[in-house]
Amino acid sequence: MAISIHVDGARPGATISRYIYGHFSEHLGRCIYGGLFVGKDSPIPNVNGMRTDVVEALKKLKVPVLRWPGGCFADEYHWQDAIGPQENRKRMVNTNWGYVVEDNSFGTHEFLELCRQIGCEPYINANVGSGTVREMAEWVEYLNSDGDSSVVRERWANGQKEPWGVRFFGVGNESWGCGGNMRPEFYADMYLKYQTYCRDYGDNKLFRIACGPSEDDLEWTETLMKNARKHLDALTLHFYTVPTGSWKGSKGSATKFDTDMYYTTLTRANRMEKLVTDHLAVMDRYDPEHKVGLIVDEWGTWYDVEPGTNPGFLYQQNTMRDAMVAALNLNIFNNHADRITMANIAQMVNVLQSVILTDGDQMLLTPTYHVFDLYKAHMDAQLLPSAVFCDELQGGVKQVTASASVKDGVITVTAANLHPTEAAEVLLDVAGAENAQVTARILSGDMHDCNTFEQKDAVTIRDFTDIRKTERGLVVTLPACAVAEITLRA
Ligand code: AHR
């Protein structure tokens, strides 16, 4: 079948929330320690303990929001153990992730300093599983109040006069699993109770986020919506792309895979479309006015760890296959802009589908980083209706995935050719932009290509000129395994 993408440039729709381009950071392996935070005394260049190289790279992505401290870690995290003088901070064992000692040297103040340096908003996910209502309520008070209370005086004593005004606040993580193994009815009640005492302070109104379902657990969504919808701003969905589909055996290697496994990975990743659609349909039954948003606050690929690394650290390489998964997911999120409030790739550095990997003082940008770079113009732009006509690949994923948006009169189309070996000649017809000036950038390569500490720029973005203007529209020849950003300026 001839491949074509049709975009209606004259019908801007919902705004694509910039928070769709959010990230997730957990006290897991080398995400925080070594990846983002090295401490003030480190020989690795840093500002107040945050790695300068990593922060600078993240600033280029215009990261809008960062979720922390977990993940499963969140429901064993006690924020009061990680404030005040370093020497007084409590040490704990990170029982979720490798039983390593957590010295709590990175706590609330450090996280908010990291967000300040990156220029993003914080999203704090608090502890329901093993924390008390009072503990959670006092965390919100410590973060956001300027009343002269003992809790706030402690913040002042720790060097922070002004409240931070944290908006995004999660009440429990995976409460159906590592966050307490709760039934949906029980969690809904726990949610209602905990969130009651998370107060709004001053002008800051909390954006209350409830723990939503795993994958296709529609019953969880239904129960939460039925019982708690009036008290929440959004609920979360977690879905990981595990190529083998097995949580127990091997999940597959990040770098050594054959073409069948490549297709299987994309087919599994593409489940996101159905999951989002199905959960939104349940939500819509209880919330026809769409007051409650959907946040996909954990998504990405999950493989076997790199050989020789700590199995509890979830460190994996990142190839052009991951770039295709990122392109597919981000197009799905964009195309659901009316209902998806936020998404957070798991995780930012050194864990699962990371945008950055570090090794000592070395840092590299992964293919996934470059996809986020290619897509960043979509943030806060208005979605344009688009339709893709093409054949399906083995497993049922369409060969080409796309989304389009407009901001300040500039149209951005992001399109990926998921075929691992064949180029795609695509007719791109953008109604209303026939005379536009066209520029483009592209990321392409063999599906196994990745950046290594020996060859950091093996995969990188380049200018793309294989675009011809014809009477029917633009003819864009996307190489195999490629993702492009095509910009049309009036
Ligand atoms: O991202 C790794 C883990 O995956 C998170 O801690 C947890 O929420 C999920 O199961």
Side-chain angles (χ1 to χ4, degrees):
M1 181 198 277
I3 304 173
S4 57
I5 303 173
H6 301 269
V7 177
D8 191 343
R11 277 202 303 134
T15 299
I16 298 174
S17 165
R18 64 175 176 279
Y19 303 116
I20 282 177
Y21 293 85
H23 293 251
F24 169 37
S25 60
E26 180 167 9
H27 289 240
L28 194 178
R30 296 186 299 112
C31 182
I32 301 291
Y33 299 110
L36 291 159
F37 178 74
V38 286
K40 289 180 184 154
D41 300 331
S42 171
I44 297 174
N46 69 84
V47 175
N48 297 329
M50 313 302 153
R51 284 184 76 127
T52 306
D53 52 356
V54 171
V55 167
E56 288 306 313
L58 294 170
K59 276 160 69 175
K60 286 196 189 121
L61 281 191
K62 299 191 189 331
V63 170
V65 64
L66 181 57
R67 175 176 181 243
W68 171 86
C72 295
F73 182 77
D75 281 285
E76 282 189 274
Y77 184 65
H78 302 284
W79 68 274
Q80 281 136 324
D81 296 347
I83 53 170
Q86 290 287 346
E87 61 277 14
N88 298 342
R89 296 196 185 182
K90 209 162 161 181
R91 291 163 72 81
M92 67 180 280
V93 171
N94 189 335
T95 52
N96 281 289
W97 306 116
Y99 281 79
V100 292
V101 170
E102 162 66 58
D103 68 2
N104 275 317
S105 54
F106 187 94
T108 300
H109 290 253
E110 289 76 20
F111 173 62
L112 291 157
E113 167 63 9
L114 173 65
C115 291
R116 187 193 68 76
Q117 288 189 25
I118 295 172
C120 68
E121 282 185 58
Y123 164 11
I124 289 185
N125 204 132
N127 180 349
V128 168
S130 69
T132 64
V133 176
R134 177 176 180 173
E135 182 182 347
M136 190 184 288
E138 289 187 347
W139 200 2
V140 176
E141 186 183 358
Y142 189 86
L143 292 166
N144 292 344
S145 170
D146 61 0
D148 186 4
S149 68
S150 299
V151 170
V152 173
R153 282 186 181 202
E154 198 174 1
R155 187 189 73 220
W156 294 344
N158 290 333
Q160 180 68 27
K161 180 71 185 140
E162 296 303 318
W164 284 285
V166 171
R167 252 183 350 125
F168 296 118
F169 201 77
V171 180
N173 167 74
E174 298 198 349
S175 304
W176 34 263
C178 64
N181 287 307
M182 302 178 201
R183 292 173 306 113
E185 293 80 6
F186 183 73
Y187 172 73
D189 286 344
M190 292 288 272
Y191 171 80
L192 288 169
K193 180 164 94 165
Y194 274 69
Q195 69 80 36
T196 301
Y197 303 97
C198 297
R199 306 295 188 188
D200 292 333
Y201 290 97
D203 295 338
N204 188 69
K205 192 168 174 340
L206 280 186
F207 189 90
R208 287 151 208 268
I209 302 169
C211 163
S214 167
E215 303 197 1
D216 59 358
D217 185 354
L218 298 176
E219 188 198 339
W220 185 280
T221 303
E222 173 117 32
T223 308
L224 201 54
M225 289 301 290
K226 196 190 292 177
N227 296 298
R229 69 181 177 281
K230 294 201 177 118
H231 300 274
L232 55 90
D233 294 300
L235 60 84
T236 61
L237 165 66
H238 287 187
F239 171 58
Y240 284 98
T241 300
V242 179
T244 59
S246 159
W247 285 103
K248 294 222 168 93
S250 167
K251 298 180 183 67
S253 159
T255 51
K256 295 185 177 58
F257 53 90
D258 59 16
T259 309
D260 282 345
M261 190 57 98
Y262 171 83
Y263 285 128
T264 307
T265 308
L266 295 184
T267 307
R268 292 198 191 284
N270 197 40
R271 258 189 89 204
M272 184 66 87
E273 172 65 39
K274 181 164 167 43
L275 291 174
V276 164
T277 309
D278 288 354
H279 286 290
L280 287 175
V282 173
M283 291 167 69
D284 285 356
R285 284 213 304 278
Y286 292 91
D287 175 35
E289 291 172 9
H290 295 177
K291 289 187 175 150
V292 179
L294 181 64
I295 292 181
V296 187
D297 66 0
E298 289 190 29
W299 69 272
T301 52
W302 192 322
Y303 309 119
D304 294 341
V305 298
E306 282 304 295
T309 65
N310 187 327
F313 281 13
L314 310 186
Y315 175 76
Q316 65 189 40
Q317 245 298 2
N318 194 289
T319 67
M320 279 303 294
R321 173 176 60 163
D322 294 84
M324 297 299 102
V325 170
L328 190 56
N329 273 290
L330 292 172
N331 281 337
I332 291 171
F333 299 151
N334 285 346
N335 287 326
H336 285 281
D338 57 334
R339 299 291 274 114
I340 297 193
T341 317
M342 187 192 293
N344 309 74
I345 191 167
Q347 299 190 3
M348 190 174 236
V349 185
N350 291 334
V351 172
L352 301 176
Q353 191 174 348
S354 301
V355 292
I356 291 175
L357 301 178
T358 67
D359 182 9
D361 64 353
Q362 298 293 301
M363 176 200 83
L364 64 79
L365 308 177
T366 67
T368 300
Y369 175 98
H370 295 304
V371 175
F372 272 74
D373 192 350
L374 291 172
Y375 276 59
K376 66 188 178 194
H378 287 308
M379 286 192 246
D380 290 334
Q382 281 176 283
L383 182 71
L384 293 174
S386 61
V388 178
F389 297 91
C390 65
D391 287 328
E392 290 177 355
L393 298 174
Q394 178 183 314
V397 188
K398 279 184 165 185
Q399 179 180 346
V400 169
T401 155
S403 62
S405 68
V406 61
K407 186 163 64 180
D408 302 330
V410 178
I411 293 177
T412 301
V413 180
T414 47
N417 174 19
L418 304 179
H419 200 293
T421 53
E422 285 177 18
E425 190 174 272
V426 181
L427 173 69
L428 172 60
D429 154 42
V430 185
E434 289 75 11
N435 300 315
Q437 207 193 332
V438 182
T439 54
R441 300 188 298 154
I442 198 164
L443 185 75
S444 66
D446 180 84
M447 62 184 172
H448 299 102
D449 284 353
C450 61
N451 291 330
T452 62
F453 291 100
E454 291 71 45
Q455 244 196 308
K456 289 185 187 160
D457 288 323
V459 182
T460 195
I461 294 175
R462 58 189 164 81
D463 288 340
F464 178 51
T465 50
D466 209 344
I467 301 178
R468 280 182 294 122
K469 275 194 177 174
T470 72
E471 281 188 354
R472 292 185 309 135
L474 301 171
V475 176
V476 180
T477 307
L478 291 173
C481 200
V483 51
E485 175 207 36
I486 300 155
T487 307
L488 296 93
R489 287 186 176 80

